[in-house]
Amino acid sequence: MIIKKAALIAVAVKKDQYPEDNLPEIAFAGRSNVGKSSLFNLLVNRKNLARVSGSPGKTRTINFYEINERFRIVDLPGYGYAKVSKATSEGWGGMIEGYLKSRNGLVKVVQLVDIRHAPSNQDIQMYEYLKHYQLDGIVVATKADKVSRNELQKCVGIIRKTLNMSAGDKIIPVSALKRTGYEELLTEIDLLLTENIKE
Ligand SMILES: Nc1nc2c(ncn2[C@@H]2O[C@H](COP(=O)(O)OP(=O)(O)OP(=O)(O)O)[C@@H](O)[C@H]2O)c(=O)[nH]1
Ligand SMILES: [Mg+2]
């Protein structure tokens, strides 16, 4: 798939701000600072379409990006950032759940985890939740440039085991810094969209 066109079409904190539910959507979920916005920019080959920052908690809204007028990538707010007050973080949890539960066009959620760390309890909870709604199956291990080639397989194994992933589920290591791994993710997304249209 070649991405020719990508545009931010909606920024939402509640449902009436979502765009019309008329295109397939692939959402990105993961803890704050894991690299969701960076991965998105890499995929669409745009430096700063999604805001990236050293200070976690940057994406506090659900951001809908329309791609090639064919589908959308939905950047969900990061969960699990300790410095955000409990009330606010519960608000975000509700926002994520509200979106995941209600969206007809939602095809799959790509869950992002940092390659260097075993998934947190919240990551595990999120993956369980995705399994429940049959939205699981693709995990992206971000910041792959931070581990050596030798460590990489070991880290991937820990993630697979901790999330209790099924044999057919995929883990794709990516690096926004080195610009690696994203082609494989694009291929997976393309496949999902094609399968989805056939049904
Ligand atoms: N080394 C390295 N750093 C990365 C990579 N991807 C992202 N980062 C850095 O990680 C930080 C967070 O990246 P973001 O893309 O803003 O993360 P996010 O998940 O969108 O964060 P929130 O919007 O706060 O939820 C930034 O400082 C990025 O430069 C990567 O592949 N390698
Ligand atoms: Mg972000």
Side-chain angles (χ1 to χ4, degrees), residues 29-42 50-60 75-79 81 92 112 114 116 141-146 174-180:
R31 61 180 304 151
S32 191
N33 215 35
V34 73
K36 290 181 296 301
S37 299
S38 302
L39 175 65
F40 171 79
N41 287 331
L42 176 68
R51 259 209 291 167
V52 172
S53 164
S55 57
K58 208 67 207 166
T59 314
R60 295 163 195 229
D75 191 4
L76 295 171
Y79 51 81
Y81 179 54
W92 291 358
L112 281 73
D114 189 318
R116 294 169 292 176
T142 63
K143 312 192 184 184
D145 52 277
K146 301 257 195 188
V174 303
S175 165
L177 194 78
K178 295 258 170 77
R179 308 182 63 83
T180 54

Side-chain angles (χ1 to χ4, degrees), residues 154-167:
K154 193 177 137 215
C155 294
V156 163
I158 291 170
I159 294 168
R160 186 174 279 284
K161 200 168 161 207
T162 312
L163 292 181
N164 194 17
M165 293 174 69
S166 311

Side-chain angles (χ1 to χ4, degrees), residues 110-185:
V110 176
Q111 185 167 348
L112 281 73
V113 295
D114 189 318
I115 199 160
R116 294 169 292 176
H117 311 297
S120 69
N121 284 336
Q122 276 173 313
D123 292 326
I124 297 168
Q125 264 173 32
M126 175 60 87
Y127 204 64
E128 285 298 319
Y129 188 86
L130 297 181
K131 277 186 201 170
H132 181 76
Y133 286 98
Q134 279 136 34
L135 293 165
D136 62 309
I138 303 183
V139 172
V140 160
T142 63
K143 312 192 184 184
D145 52 277
K146 301 257 195 188
V147 298
S148 70
R149 270 173 179 263
N150 283 339
E151 284 170 320
L152 193 124
Q153 279 319 313
K154 193 177 137 215
C155 294
V156 163
I158 291 170
I159 294 168
R160 186 174 279 284
K161 200 168 161 207
T162 312
L163 292 181
N164 194 17
M165 293 174 69
S166 311
D169 294 355
K170 291 219 153 66
I171 303 186
I172 306 174
V174 303
S175 165
L177 194 78
K178 295 258 170 77
R179 308 182 63 83
T180 54
Y182 71 97
E183 299 97 331
E184 193 182 340
L185 179 59

Side-chain angles (χ1 to χ4, degrees), residues 10-13 58-64 75-78 92 95:
V11 173
V13 292
K58 208 67 207 166
T59 314
R60 295 163 195 229
T61 48
I62 303 182
N63 296 343
F64 294 82
D75 191 4
L76 295 171
W92 291 358
M95 218 153 87

